[in-house]
C-alpha cells in the first residue's frame, strides 16, 4: 500500500477540522471496505481519520421520543446485541448480522456501509424502509437528509468536501408494523448480495396503512421503489396484492450482468424477494403488539 | 476396519505435529525469518496476450529501500532441452518463461519482473515504477476456438504430438491421443439405447488457504538455500536448479509446513525469482504471493469440453462408449487430458471404447494438477450419461453400475488390466448404506449418485530410522507432510517395531538430509513412503537381531522378533532393553529403506448426495452427503475420513459455485476469496464417510492412497440429484443459481 | 504526509508490548513481522478467509483489516496466548483429538473463533457453530471434524465450569 498518515480525533470538531485541512483525507470506522479498496489501488488517501473515538459517531441510544440514534461508526455487533434494537427494529438487527461474518461484524458499521455506496449495500434498503434519516456535519454546519437520497451513484454520495456522516435517526416503530430484508447470495453467507429487497408495512383496520419497498444490487444505488409502496396503501394484504407490488418492484429494477449474477436472474429475484419480504413484514406486523 | 491383526494400524493417534499446529508454532512458508531478510514483489502482466517491447527498471532500481530488480534477462538462456518435471516433460525454456516472461506474456498475471526491498510495501511501490511497453495481441480464451486453424498462436513453436509422435502441425494443440478397445461401431450397433451428450466445465483453482511463499539465499558458498511451501522438496530442488542452470546438488530445499496444496504447489514460481534477487543483493529474499496472484498466476485446473456417447443393451450391459475430450491447459501444454482419459470410464468394464483427447493451450494461467487431475471434469460428463442411460433402461443407478463394474482383469480404456480393485465393493457399500434407502420427502428434493477413480502412483521414496537408547526411534523421511502423513508413515514403522506411534519421532527432512523422495502427490505418500519406512524398520530389526545374537551367543537366524520382543529359546529382551545395549554391541543401529514401486493400486470412490433446489432462486442446498472410498487398508482412519470429507467439500464447491469468471480480454474478474466462492461451514452438510478396505496386493499393509479419488464423484452426483429434484439435467459446471434458473426456464418454455 | 512511524503500546497475550510501525502496516503485519507472532496467517488480506483472526478487546477481528496503530491501548489475544504453560487449552486439545487439523493453516483463526463463541454461547447448536465459523475458510477438512471438535470442547468447558 502507499504510505498514509493516521489520526484519531477525540471530538467531532477535531475530525471536521482535520478533514477541512486535508482534502485528501478519508474518514473510516471499521475499514472493512476502505482498506480492501486501498490495497487494490482504487483509493489512495494521504490521511486516514479514525472515527471510532468520537462520541457522537459511537452512540447507540433511544431518545425521549423513542427514536433510535445510531452513530455512523457503531459496529454491527453492538447493533445486533442491543436489546432495544432486537425488540423494536428487528430487521436492523438482522441485517447487521448478515454483513460479512463474525469478525467483520466486530468492526464494520452501517455508516461505513452507506458511505461506501455500493449498489449492493445490504443495510441501506433496510434503513430506507425504516425511514431512517442521516445526520451530516460539515464546514457549513449540520444537515439532515433521508437515507434514500444519500447515494448518488456507485461509490458516490451527497457528501461534499469536508463533510462527515455522523449518524442515523430511525423513528420508533408504529403499532402493528413490521419490516424484513431478504437477499439472495450463492453461498449461505459471506457473499455480496446478488439482489436484495427490504419491505416495511403497517397494518390498520385489516388493510395496509402504508408500505415501503427498497432494493439492493439492482440499480446504480440502493433503490426506494415508491410506486410499490404507494400501490399497497389502503389495500388488503392479500397474496394477489403482494404479487402486484412485487411486480412493480421488478419493473423498477435496472440490473446489470456481472460476475455476481445476470441481469435476468436479478430481475427475477427482485420479484421473488420482494414478495417474500412483504409476506414476512406483514406477518411481523400482525404479530407486533399494538 | 482391519480387524484384530494390527496393533497400531487402524488406530487414531494424535498427530506428531499436532501441538505445533494448534499453538501457532508450526512454521509455514511466510513464517520464515532470517537475519537480514528482505522482501520481494512480482510485477505481472495486465494483458492476457502481448509482446513485450521494452522493460525499463531504472526508476525502480533507484527507489529508496530497493536492493535488487530482476527480469527475464537475468535468467540463463543456453540451448533448450527437455526437462522431466513431475507434471511431465517439457522444454526448459517453457519452465523459465513461466517464471519470467521473456518476449511474450501469455496470460494476465504472467510475471514480468521482480523487486527486492526492505519491506513488501516498498517493493510494491517500486514495482509500480517499472515501465513495460506491451504490444497487445488477440487472446485465445476458448478451448474449441483455440483448436481452429486460424486461431492466434499462443506458443509460436508448439507443434502437436499425435499418437505419441511429434508432428509438424503447428497451432495450439499440444497433444492428440487416442485409446481404442474393440470396435465402437459394432458396439453401438448392438445397443438398444444410446445416449450422447456434451459437457462444459470452467477453470477452477485448488483454493488452498496459504498463498505460495518462498525464501531464498544465494549464499557466498555458491549454494542456493531455499525455504518454501512445496509438495516436493526434491522436485522443487530439481526444477529450480534446471531453471537457473545449476547443478542440482548446489540447491538445498527445506520444505516448510504447507497450508494446503492439492497439486498446486508442485511447480516452482517464486523460488527462482527469490534466488535471482538474492544473488544480486546478497541477502535472503522472501516473496509471498498476494491472493490475487495465487488465482491469476499459479496453476488452476483446466476447463474442458467433453462429449460422451454410450450405448447399452436392454439387459443393462454397456456395449460401447465413445469420448471426445478437449482440455484447455493454459499457456503451456500439460498432460491432464490424458489423466482424464484414464479415469473417465474407469469404473466400468466396456468391451468397445474409443477416446480422442486433446490438450490445448490458451491464454490463461498454465494449469497444474488439482486432486485427481483431469478426472473430476471427466466424471462429471461420464457419470451424468451413465445416470441417463440407467434411467432410460429403467434400472436403479447403482444396480446398473454394478452390472457393468470393473473388476480384476477388466481393461481400462488406456489398455491397463486391473489387478485387485475395490470398485464392486464401493458400489455395494453405497447400495447397502442407510442413506441410499432413506426416504427423501418434500418437493424439489432429489438424490444422486456417482463414482470416481484415481489410479494412484508409486514412485521413489527414502527413509532412515535410527534407534535411541531409550527404545524410541527417530524416523527421517523426505515426504512433505500435507495432512498427517508423517504420522501415518510413523505408524507403519511402529507396527513393525512393536512400538507405540508416539515412540517414533518422525522428521520431514530437507534435500541435504535424506535420500531422494518423489513429490507428495498422486496419493503416493502413505503408500510409498510408508513402504520405505516398513523397509527401514525391517532393516532395523534385522540388525538388532544380530545384536541380540551377539549378546546371547547364538546364530542370528535363531533370534525371532514378535510383538516388540526379541526371543531365542527361553531368553527374551524387549526392544527398549536391547536398544540400551546397542553401544556395547557395536554402536548405533540405523535402518534404511528405499522403494520405487512402478505402480500402485487405484482407489475407487463413490458419493450419495441429497439436494434441495429452490426453483424460484436456483439455489441448490446439499442436504446430506455420504462419501465411500476404498482405502486398501486404513492406516489412520481419522486421516482417511479427513481426506474423504475434504475432497467431498471441494467437489461440492466445484459443482455449485467455483469458477474463473473471465472478462472478454482474458482477465479473471473474481480473483478474491469473496467472489471465488469456496464453501464455508454453512455450505456443506455433515459429510458421512464409509471406508471400504480391499487391500492392495503389493504393499506390505495393503495401503491404497486415498487423497484424490474422493473429489471426483461429487459434481456428477449433484447433477444427478438436481435432475431428480427438478427434472432438469445441467451439463455445465458450475451449476450456479443463474444456470439452474436458466435451465428451469428453458424447460418451461 | 509526515512519513513518521507511530508508537503503539498494547497488551498482547497479557504482556505489555511497545513497537513502532507505519500506519499502513496492518495489525496482522505488526504481529507477524514486528512482534514475531506468526500464528496469525495471511490468507487473502481482505477479510474473506479468517486465517488472520485474533481477539481484540474481547471481539474476534480479522487482523488484516485492523491497522497496527489501532491496537494502541487495546488487549489482544493471539493463538500463542491460549495454552497455559505446557498445557493445551481444551479447545486446542479437542481439535487434535477430533482430527480437526489437517494442514493447520486455518487452525489458529478457527481456535480463537471457537474461544469467543464458547465464551458467549457455552452450548451452541450445530447450525450456530457453522454460522459462527462461516468467515473461516477451511479447504482441507470439509468442516465436519471441526464442528465435532467445537462441540466436544463446549461439552468439556461446560463441565469444567459446572
Amino acid at each position: 500500500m502507499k504510505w498514509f498518515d493516521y489520526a484519531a480525533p477525540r471530538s467531532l470538531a477535531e475530525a471536521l477540522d482535520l478533514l477541512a485541512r486535508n482534502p485528501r483525507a478519508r474518514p473510516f470506522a471499521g475499514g472493512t471496505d476502505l482498506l480492501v479498496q486501498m490495497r487494490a489501488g482504487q483509493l489512495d488517501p494521504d490521511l486516514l481519520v479514525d472515527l471510532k473515538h468520537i462520541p457522537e459517531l459511537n452512540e447507540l441510544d433511544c431518545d425521549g421520543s423513542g427514536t433510535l440514534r445510531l452513530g455512523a461508526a457503531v459496529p454491527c455487533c453492538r447493533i445486533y446485541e442491543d436489546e432495544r434494537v432486537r425488540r423494536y427494529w428487528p430487521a436492523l438487527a438482522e441485517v447487521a448480522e448478515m454483513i460479512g461474518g463474525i469478525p467483520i461484524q466486530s468492526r464494520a458499521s452501517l455508516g461505513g456501509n452507506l458511505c461506501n455506496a455500493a449498489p449492493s449495500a445490504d443495510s441501506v434498503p433496510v434503513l430506507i424502509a425504516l425511514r431512517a434519516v442521516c445526520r451530516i456535519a460539515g464546514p457549513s454546519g449540520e444537515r439532515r437528509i433521508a437515507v434514500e437520497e444519500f447515494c448518488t451513484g456507485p461509490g458516490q454520495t451527497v457528501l461534499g468536501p469536508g463533510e462527515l456522516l455522523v449518524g442515523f435517526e430511525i423513528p420508533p416503530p408504529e403499532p402493528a408494523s413490521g419490516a424484513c430484508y431478504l437477499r439472495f447470495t450463492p453461498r449461505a453467507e459471506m457473499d455480496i448480495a446478488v439482489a436484495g429487497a427490504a419491505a416495511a408495512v403497517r397494518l390498520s383496520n385489516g388493510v395496509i396503512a402504508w408500505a415501503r419497498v427498497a432494493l439492493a444490487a439492482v440499480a446504480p444505488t440502493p433503490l426506494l421503489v415508491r410506486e410499490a409502496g404507494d400501490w399497497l396503501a389502503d389495500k388488503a394484504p392479500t397474496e394477489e396484492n403482494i404479487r402486484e407490488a412485487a411486480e412493480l418492484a421488478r419493473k423498477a429494477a435496472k440490473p446489470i450482468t456481472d460476475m455476481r449474477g445476470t441481469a435476468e436472474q436479478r430481475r427475477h429475484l427482485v420479484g421473488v424477494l420482494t414478495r417474500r419480504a412483504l409476506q414476512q413484514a406483514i406477518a411481523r406486523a400482525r404479530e407486533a403488539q399494538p | 476396519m482391519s480387524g484384530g491383526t494390527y496393533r497400531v494400524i487402524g488406530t487414531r493417534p494424535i498427530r506428531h505435529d499436532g501441538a505445533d499446529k494448534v499453538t501457532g508454532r508450526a512454521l509455514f512458508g511466510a513464517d520464515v525469518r532470517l537475519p537480514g531478510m528482505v522482501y520481494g514483489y512480482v510485477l505481472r502482466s495486465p494483458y492476457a496476450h502481448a509482446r513485450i517491447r521494452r522493460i525499463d527498471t531504472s526508476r525502480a532500481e533507484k527507489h529508496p529501500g530497493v536492493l535488487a530488480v530482476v527480469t527475464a534477462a537475468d535468467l540463463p538462456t543456453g540451448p533448450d532441452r527437455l526437462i522431466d518435471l513431475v507434471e511431465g516433460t517439457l522444454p526448459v525454456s517453457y519452465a523459465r518463461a513461466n517464471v519470467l516472461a521473456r518476449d511474450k506474456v501469455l496470460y494476465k498475471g504472467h510475471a514480468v519482473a521482480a523487486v527486492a526491498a526492505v519491506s513488501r510495501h516498498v517493493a510494491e511501490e517500486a514495482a509500480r515504477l517499472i515501465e513495460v511497453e506491451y504490444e497487445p495481441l488477440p487472446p485465445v480464451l476458448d478451448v474449441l476456438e483455440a483448436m481452429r486453424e486460424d486461431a492466434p498462436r499462443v506458443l509460436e513453436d508448439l507443434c502437436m504430438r499425435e499418437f505419441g509422435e511429434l508432428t509438424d502441425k503447428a497451432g495450439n494443440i499440444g497433444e492428440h491421443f487416442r485409446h481404442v478397445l474393440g470396435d465402437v461401431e459394432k458396439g453401438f450397433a448392438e445397443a438398444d439405447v444410446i445416449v450422447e451428450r456434451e459437457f462444459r466445465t470452467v477453470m477452477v483453482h485448488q483454493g488452498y488457504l496459504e498463498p505460495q511463499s518462498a525464501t531464498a539465499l544465494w549464499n557466498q558458498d555458491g549454494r542456493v538455500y531455499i525455504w518454501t511451501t512445496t509438495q516436493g522438496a526434491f522436485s522443487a530442488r530439481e526444477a529450480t536448479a534446471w531453471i537457473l542452470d545449476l547443478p542440482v546438488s548446489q540447491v538445498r530445499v527445506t520444505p516448510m509446513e504447507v497450508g494446503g496444496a492439492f497439486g498446486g504447489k508442485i511447480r516452482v514460481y517464486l523460488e527462482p525469482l527469490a534466488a535471482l534477487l538474492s544473488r544480486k543483493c546478497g541477502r535472503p529474499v522472501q516473496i509471498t504471493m498476494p491472493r490475487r496472484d495465487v488465482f491469476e498466476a499459479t496453476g488452476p485446473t483446466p476447463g474442458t469440453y467433453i462429449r460422451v456417447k454410450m450405448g447399452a443393451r436392454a439387459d443393462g450391459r454397456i456395449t460401447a462408449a465413445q469420448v471426445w475430450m478437449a482440455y484447455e491447459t493454459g499457456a503451456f501444454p500439460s498432460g491432464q487430458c490424458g489423466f482424464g482419459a484414464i479415469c473417465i470410464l474407469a469404473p466400468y468394464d466396456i468391451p468397445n471404447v474409443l477416446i480422442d483427447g486433446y490438450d490445448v493451450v490458451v491464454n490463461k494461467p498454465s494449469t497444474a494438477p488439482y486432486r485427481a487431475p483431469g478426472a473430476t471434469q471427466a466424471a462429471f460428463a461420464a457419470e451424468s450419461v451413465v445416470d441417463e442411460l440407467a434411467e432410460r433402461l429403467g434400472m436403479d443407478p447403482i444396480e446398473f453400475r454394478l452390472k457393468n463394474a470393473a473388476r480384476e482383469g477388466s481393461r481400462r480404456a488406456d489398455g491397463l488390466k486391473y489387478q485387485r480393485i475395490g470398485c464392486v465393493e464401493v458400489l455395494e457399500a453405497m447400495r447397502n448404506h442407510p442413506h441410499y434407502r432413506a426416504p427423501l420427502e418434500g418437493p424439489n428434493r432429489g438424490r444422486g449418485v456417482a463414482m470416481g477413480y484415481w489410479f494412484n502412483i508409486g514412485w521413489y521414496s527414502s527413509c532412515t530410522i535410527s534407534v535411541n537408547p531409550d527404545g524410541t526411534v527417530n524416523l527421517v523421511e523426505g515426504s512433505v507432510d500435507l495432512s498427517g502423513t508423517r504420522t501415518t508413515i510413523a505408524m507403519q514403522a511402529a507396527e513393525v517395531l512393536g512400538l507405540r506411534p508416539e515412540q517414533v519421532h518422525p522428521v520431514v527432512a530437507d534435500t541435504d538430509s535424506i535420500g531422494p523422495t518423489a513429490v507428495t502427490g498422486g496419493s503416493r505418500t502413505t503408500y510409498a513412503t510408508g513402504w520405505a519406512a516398513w523397509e527401514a524398520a525391517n532393516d532395523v530389526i534385522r540388525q538388532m537381531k544380530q545384536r541380540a545374537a551377539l549378546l546371547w551367543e547364538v546364530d542370528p537366524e535363531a533370534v525371532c522378533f514378535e510383538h516388540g520382543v526379541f526371543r531365542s529359546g527361553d531368553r527374551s529382551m524387549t526392544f527398549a532393553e536391547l536398544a540400551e545395549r546397542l553401544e556395547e554391541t557395536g554402536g548405533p543401529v540405523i535402518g534404511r529403506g528405499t522403494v520405487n514401486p512402478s505402480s500402485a493400486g487405484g482407489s475407487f470412490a463413490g458419493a450419495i448426495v441429497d439436494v434441495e433446489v429452490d426453483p424460484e432462486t436456483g439455489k441448490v442446498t446439499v442436504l446430506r452427503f455420504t462419501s465411500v472410498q476404498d482405502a486398501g487398508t486404513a492406516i489412520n482412519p481419522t486421516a482417511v475420513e479427513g481426506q474423504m470429507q475434504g475432497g467431498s467439500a471441494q467437489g461440492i464447491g466445484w459443482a455449485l459455485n467455483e469458477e474463473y469468471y473471465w472478462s472478454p480480454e482474458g482477465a479473471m474478474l473474481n480473483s478474491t476469496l469473496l467472489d471465488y466462492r469456496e464453501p464455508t461451514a454453512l455450505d456443506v452438510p455433515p459429510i458421512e464417510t464409509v471406508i471400504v478396505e480391499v487391500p492392495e496386493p503389493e504393499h506390505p499393509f495393503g495401503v491404497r492412497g486415498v487423497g484424490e479419488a474422493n473429489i471426483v464423484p461429487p459434481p456428477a452426483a449433484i447433477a444427478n440429484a438436481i435432475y431428480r429434484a427438478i427434472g432438469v439435467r445441467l451439463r455445465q459446471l458450475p451449476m450456479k443459481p443463474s444456470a439452474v434458473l436458466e435451465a428451469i426456464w428453458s424447460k418451461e418454455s | 504526509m509526515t512519513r513518521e512511524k507511530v508508537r503503539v503500546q498494547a497488551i498482547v497475550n497479557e504482556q505489555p508490548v511497545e513497537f513502532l510501525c507505519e500506519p499502513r502496516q496492518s495489525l496482522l503485519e505488526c504481529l507477524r513481522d514486528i512482534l514475531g507472532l506468526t500464528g496469525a496467517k495471511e490468507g487473502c488480506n481482505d477479510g474473506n478467509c479468517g486465517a488472520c483472526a485474533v481477539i481484540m478487546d474481547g471481539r474476534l477481528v480479522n487482523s488484516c483489516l485492523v491497522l497496527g496503530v489501532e491496537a494502541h491501548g487495546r488487549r489482544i489475544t493471539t493463538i500463542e496466548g491460549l495454552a497455559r504453560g505446557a498445557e493445551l487449552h481444551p479447545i486446542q486439545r479437542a481439535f487434535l483429538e477430533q482430527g480437526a487439523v489437517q494442514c493447520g493453516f486455518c487452525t489458529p483463526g478457527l481456535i480463537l473463533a471457537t474461544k469467543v463463541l464458547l465464551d458467549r454461547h457455552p452450548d451452541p447448536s450445530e447450525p450456530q457453530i457453522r454460522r459462527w465459523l462461516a468467515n473461516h475458510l477451511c479447504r482441507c477438512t470439509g468442516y465436519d471434524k471441526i464442528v465435532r471438535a467445537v462441540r466436544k470442547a463446549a461439552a468439556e468447558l461446560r463441565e469444567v465450569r459446572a
Side-chain angles (χ1 to χ4, degrees):
Chain A
M1 263 203 289
K2 285 185 167 178
W3 183 284
F4 56 86
D5 286 326
Y6 168 88
R10 292 325 214 213
S11 75
L12 185 54
E14 199 187 329
L16 291 173
D17 182 58
L18 280 167
L19 293 177
R21 289 191 286 110
N22 293 278
R24 289 177 49 73
R26 262 199 96 113
F28 81 104
T32 54
D33 283 320
L34 183 68
L35 289 180
V36 174
Q37 289 165 17
M38 287 170 68
R39 285 191 186 125
Q42 290 157 10
L43 290 171
D44 81 282
D46 286 349
L47 169 70
L48 287 194
V49 178
D50 189 345
L51 304 173
K52 296 191 286 294
H53 304 277
I54 301 170
E56 293 92 321
L57 275 85
N58 289 282
E59 70 172 345
L60 175 60
D61 220 344
C62 292
D63 69 17
S65 69
T67 298
L68 176 65
R69 295 174 64 86
L70 176 63
V74 174
C76 290
C77 59
R78 273 185 66 205
I79 296 172
Y80 60 71
E81 285 171 3
D82 189 282
E83 275 303 305
R84 300 159 296 183
V85 176
R86 298 184 80 79
R87 182 141 181 240
Y88 297 111
W89 298 274
L92 201 62
E94 282 160 2
V95 79
E97 273 181 308
M98 273 184 207
I99 294 176
I102 297 294
I104 298 288
Q105 291 155 18
S106 299
R107 305 268 296 168
S109 64
L110 297 199
N113 202 220
L114 180 64
C115 290
N116 189 45
S120 55
D122 289 307
S123 67
V124 184
V126 179
L127 290 164
I128 293 175
L130 296 177
R131 292 183 212 266
V133 168
C134 303
R135 282 178 57 210
I136 298 170
S140 4
E142 268 209 21
R143 59 190 180 108
R144 280 169 163 63
I145 63 163
V147 170
E148 57 264 29
E149 315 285 330
F150 192 89
C151 300
T152 57
Q156 291 167 343
T157 71
V158 295
L159 291 178
E163 282 196 310
L164 192 56
L165 175 68
V166 176
F168 304 97
E169 285 167 0
I170 298 140
E174 295 181 26
S177 68
C180 176
Y181 173 71
L182 295 174
R183 66 178 190 165
F184 181 75
T185 52
R187 291 185 295 183
E189 300 259 327
M190 294 304 299
D191 286 339
I192 301 291
V194 177
V201 301
R202 179 184 172 178
L203 300 176
S204 178
N205 299 324
V207 299
I208 295 171
W210 55 257
R212 278 170 80 83
V213 172
L215 305 176
V218 291
T221 67
L223 192 63
L224 169 63
V225 186
R226 291 181 203 280
E227 52 271 41
D230 291 346
W231 190 87
L232 281 172
D234 295 322
K235 299 238 175 28
T238 61
E239 277 308 305
E240 208 186 298
N241 288 336
I242 292 170
R243 271 178 203 280
E244 185 56 42
E247 183 58 22
L248 288 169
R250 211 180 63 79
K251 291 205 174 95
K254 295 184 284 272
I256 58 170
T257 292
D258 66 11
M259 63 177 166
R260 297 179 182 138
T262 66
E264 299 77 24
Q265 173 197 20
R266 287 177 154 127
R267 204 183 311 275
H268 170 80
L269 285 171
V270 165
V272 173
L273 294 171
T274 304
R275 192 190 85 236
R276 292 179 181 179
L278 278 167
Q279 283 164 345
Q280 285 205 42
I282 288 166
R284 285 178 171 177
R286 288 199 173 110
E287 281 166 20
Q289 302 299 323
Chain B
M1 275 309 100
S2 5
T5 44
Y6 298 122
R7 288 172 34 263
V8 171
I9 286 167
T11 63
R12 301 169 184 257
I14 305 279
R15 40 193 291 175
H16 296 75
D17 56 329
D20 285 347
K21 294 266 162 83
V22 296
T23 57
R25 199 164 295 120
L27 294 178
F28 294 78
D31 301 331
V32 170
R33 300 281 179 268
L34 297 172
M37 190 172 83
V38 295
Y39 301 86
Y41 183 87
V42 182
L43 182 69
R44 299 181 178 280
S45 164
Y47 294 105
H49 197 196
R51 264 183 236 295
I52 299 175
R53 287 269 167 245
R54 187 179 66 91
I55 303 183
D56 183 346
T57 60
S58 53
R59 287 175 65 216
E61 289 173 49
K62 292 199 277 269
H63 189 70
V66 168
L67 286 95
V69 182
V70 297
T71 65
D74 294 289
L75 278 171
T77 40
D80 206 357
R81 66 181 205 283
L82 290 176
I83 55 176
D84 208 347
L85 294 177
V86 174
E87 48 206 342
T89 308
L90 79 169
V92 70
S93 61
Y94 285 0
R96 287 185 183 136
N98 199 38
V99 168
L100 277 172
R102 187 174 283 276
D103 307 308
K104 264 176 78 165
V105 289
L106 301 172
Y107 52 93
K108 187 203 179 245
H110 197 164
V112 168
V115 178
V118 293
S119 79
R120 281 169 87 188
H121 292 289
V122 173
E124 189 182 340
E125 278 178 345
R128 299 201 195 292
L129 298 174
I130 297 175
E131 289 161 26
V132 186
E133 202 181 297
Y134 294 102
E135 181 196 312
L137 299 167
V140 185
L141 301 170
D142 174 81
V143 64
L144 295 181
E145 302 263 320
M147 292 174 78
R148 292 161 47 132
E149 295 259 325
D150 57 353
R153 303 268 302 283
V154 174
L155 294 170
E156 327 255 285
D157 59 353
L158 182 69
C159 287
M160 177 169 66
R161 282 188 80 78
E162 190 159 45
F163 310 138
E165 302 284 331
L166 191 60
T167 69
D168 57 6
K169 292 184 202 167
N172 294 318
I173 302 176
E175 184 174 11
H176 171 210
F177 62 86
R178 177 176 287 166
H179 296 309
V180 179
L181 288 180
D183 177 348
V184 287
E185 297 295 334
K186 206 161 73 62
F188 284 123
E190 290 170 29
D192 296 309
V193 175
I194 294 178
V195 173
E196 181 172 11
R197 298 289 183 195
E198 293 177 313
F199 299 83
R200 281 260 195 191
T201 74
V202 195
M203 185 171 269
V204 297
H205 197 271
Q206 299 86 349
Y208 36 82
L209 208 50
E210 179 210 21
Q212 270 84 349
S213 180
T215 305
L217 170 63
W218 198 303
N219 203 11
Q220 285 79 8
D221 65 4
R223 294 189 83 205
V224 180
Y225 297 87
I226 294 176
W227 297 259
T228 181
T229 165
T230 179
Q231 292 175 236
F234 288 90
S235 54
R237 179 180 76 161
E238 279 175 349
T240 304
W242 288 332
I243 286 168
L244 297 178
D245 208 13
L246 295 171
V248 165
S249 59
Q250 216 168 301
V251 177
R252 185 194 77 190
V253 174
T254 302
M256 305 305 293
E257 301 294 342
V258 181
F262 316 110
K265 287 180 174 167
I266 297 174
R267 189 181 294 150
V268 298
Y269 300 97
L270 302 174
E271 293 82 344
L273 292 179
L276 288 174
L277 287 167
S278 178
R279 181 170 65 176
K280 271 199 180 176
C281 70
R283 310 265 286 265
V285 177
Q286 182 176 95
I287 312 180
T288 301
M289 278 201 191
R291 175 57 53 179
R292 177 203 63 232
D293 291 3
V294 174
F295 279 121
E296 295 185 347
T298 59
T301 195
T304 65
Y305 168 87
I306 302 176
R307 197 166 62 231
V308 174
K309 178 178 175 183
M310 275 197 198
R313 292 198 307 256
D315 70 353
R317 278 293 287 157
I318 299 173
T319 57
Q322 185 169 348
V323 177
W324 194 99
M325 53 202 309
Y327 280 40
E328 53 171 31
T329 69
F332 299 97
S334 94
Q336 294 197 49
C337 192
F339 299 150
I342 290 173
C343 298
I344 190 167
L345 302 170
Y348 308 105
D349 179 52
I350 305 175
N352 305 297
V353 174
L354 172 62
I355 300 180
D356 276 287
Y358 297 84
D359 261 350
V360 182
V361 296
V362 293
N363 288 114
K364 293 179 180 175
S366 181
T367 58
Y370 176 17
R371 203 164 197 160
T376 306
Q377 300 94 318
F380 174 64
E383 289 295 296
S384 300
V385 169
V386 166
D387 197 66
E388 217 180 322
L389 212 48
E391 195 198 14
R392 294 267 292 269
L393 292 168
M395 284 183 73
D396 169 88
I398 293 185
E399 292 302 334
F400 179 65
R401 286 176 172 85
L402 274 166
K403 195 160 180 97
N404 293 283
R407 295 156 200 274
E408 186 167 359
S410 302
R411 267 203 197 279
R412 225 166 51 182
D414 59 313
L416 178 114
K417 217 158 129 186
Y418 284 121
Q419 306 287 305
R420 184 91 176 81
I421 50 173
C423 184
V424 167
E425 286 82 348
V426 167
L427 282 164
E428 286 173 343
M430 290 164 73
R431 183 192 55 194
N432 299 336
H433 195 278
H435 182 178
Y436 196 62
R437 285 178 313 236
L440 182 60
E441 278 142 13
N444 304 312
R445 291 183 166 194
R447 177 170 299 154
V449 299
M451 285 292 282
Y453 169 77
W454 186 251
F455 45 87
N456 296 346
I457 61 176
W459 246 355
Y460 53 95
S461 282
S462 311
C463 178
T464 62
I465 296 177
S466 56
V467 182
N468 295 316
D470 66 355
T472 64
V473 301
N474 300 341
L475 186 156
V476 182
E477 46 112 344
S479 283
V480 171
D481 185 355
L482 298 178
S483 62
T485 50
R486 87 194 77 190
T487 297
T488 58
I489 291 163
M491 288 169 75
Q492 294 179 65
E495 185 70 52
V496 173
L497 299 170
L499 297 174
R500 295 189 311 276
E502 57 271 26
Q503 292 176 303
V504 179
H505 307 300
V507 168
V508 175
D510 64 43
T511 56
D512 278 358
S513 309
I514 186 63
T517 297
V519 70
T520 297
S523 306
R524 67 176 298 273
T525 311
T526 297
Y527 176 81
T529 310
W531 198 335
W534 178 88
E535 294 251 351
N538 278 294
D539 189 18
V540 163
I541 297 302
R542 190 173 43 250
Q543 293 180 57
M544 287 179 77
K545 280 183 181 174
Q546 285 169 342
R547 303 304 182 83
L550 253 174
L551 287 171
W552 292 333
E553 293 170 339
V554 298
D555 200 79
E557 310 282 300
V559 180
C560 66
F561 177 74
E562 206 185 2
H563 299 315
V565 180
F566 293 91
R567 277 178 219 285
S568 183
D570 57 2
R571 281 181 294 187
S572 69
M573 238 185 321
T574 66
F575 186 94
E577 285 166 344
L578 183 52
E580 263 186 318
R581 308 191 63 180
L582 292 182
E583 202 192 305
E584 73 191 71
T585 55
V589 165
I590 297 178
R592 68 172 172 77
T594 63
V595 300
N596 191 9
S598 55
S599 68
S603 176
F604 283 88
I608 309 169
V609 57
D610 295 348
V611 305
E612 180 177 276
V613 183
D614 182 340
E616 286 196 308
T617 64
K619 177 91 169 258
V620 176
T621 303
V622 180
L623 300 172
R624 188 172 174 183
F625 196 105
T626 301
S627 174
V628 183
Q629 190 170 0
D630 177 12
T633 299
I635 302 293
N636 180 342
T638 298
V640 175
E641 291 159 2
Q643 291 300 301
M644 293 166 70
Q645 291 167 334
S648 298
Q650 286 179 312
I652 290 171
W654 195 335
L656 293 177
N657 264 314
E658 293 178 38
E659 61 177 335
Y660 271 55
Y661 190 96
W662 299 101
S663 76
E665 297 78 31
M668 181 193 188
L669 293 175
N670 61 328
S671 55
T672 67
L673 286 173
L674 173 64
D675 289 304
Y676 183 85
R677 288 181 276 272
E678 301 187 12
T680 70
L682 274 173
D683 297 303
V684 296
I687 298 171
E688 212 175 318
T689 57
V690 178
I691 300 175
V692 166
E693 288 183 312
V694 177
E696 198 266 4
E698 306 290 326
H699 188 275
F701 296 120
V703 167
R704 293 181 196 269
V706 294
E708 292 173 277
N710 41 63
I711 198 179
V712 179
I718 290 172
N720 295 336
I722 291 173
Y723 171 66
R724 283 179 182 70
I726 54 169
V728 287
R729 286 203 184 268
L730 282 103
R731 299 195 178 92
Q732 294 201 26
L733 290 181
M735 298 177 285
K736 54 187 179 173
S738 55
V740 174
L741 277 180
E742 276 160 26
I744 293 173
W745 292 337
S746 299
K747 178 169 171 255
E748 284 167 0
S749 65
Chain C
M1 289 187 278
T2 64
R3 290 234 157 215
E4 268 173 23
K5 291 194 179 181
V6 177
R7 165 168 286 125
V8 176
Q9 290 167 320
I11 312 268
V12 177
N13 298 330
E14 294 174 22
Q15 296 297 320
V17 300
E18 187 170 327
F19 58 88
L20 283 174
C21 71
E22 302 178 4
R24 62 181 168 179
Q25 286 178 284
S26 64
L27 175 59
L28 177 64
E29 290 169 57
C30 294
L31 290 170
R32 289 176 55 79
D33 299 337
I34 302 177
L35 297 177
L37 297 166
T38 57
K41 307 297 183 197
E42 179 187 312
C44 67
N45 221 18
D46 53 28
N48 291 302
C49 75
C52 68
V54 299
I55 305 174
M56 189 164 81
D57 286 347
R59 297 268 183 208
L60 194 68
V61 295
N62 286 325
S63 62
C64 67
L65 294 182
V66 178
L67 297 176
V69 295
E70 292 185 77
H72 187 69
R74 316 277 212 141
R75 293 190 90 84
I76 293 167
T77 303
T78 70
I79 186 67
E80 290 90 345
L82 215 59
R84 284 270 157 274
E87 279 272 319
L88 289 176
H89 189 280
I91 297 173
Q92 291 169 314
R93 251 189 299 108
F95 267 64
L96 286 181
E97 285 163 8
Q98 296 298 313
V101 179
Q102 282 190 36
C103 80
F105 197 75
C106 70
T107 305
L110 264 170
I111 289 178
L112 291 175
T114 303
K115 169 117 190 6
V116 178
L117 169 66
L118 298 183
D119 283 348
R120 274 154 210 271
H121 306 284
D123 193 5
S125 66
E126 174 152 347
Q128 245 185 314
I129 294 170
R130 288 179 182 266
R131 185 123 191 276
W132 189 272
L133 299 180
N135 190 292
H136 298 267
L137 293 180
C138 173
R139 197 59 163 168
C140 296
T141 67
Y143 304 102
D144 198 284
K145 292 183 189 296
I146 290 172
V147 173
R148 283 176 203 274
V150 174
R151 305 201 80 175
K152 193 87 204 306
E156 193 182 320
L157 287 170
R158 282 197 305 274
E159 218 170 294
V160 164
R161 288 176 187 148

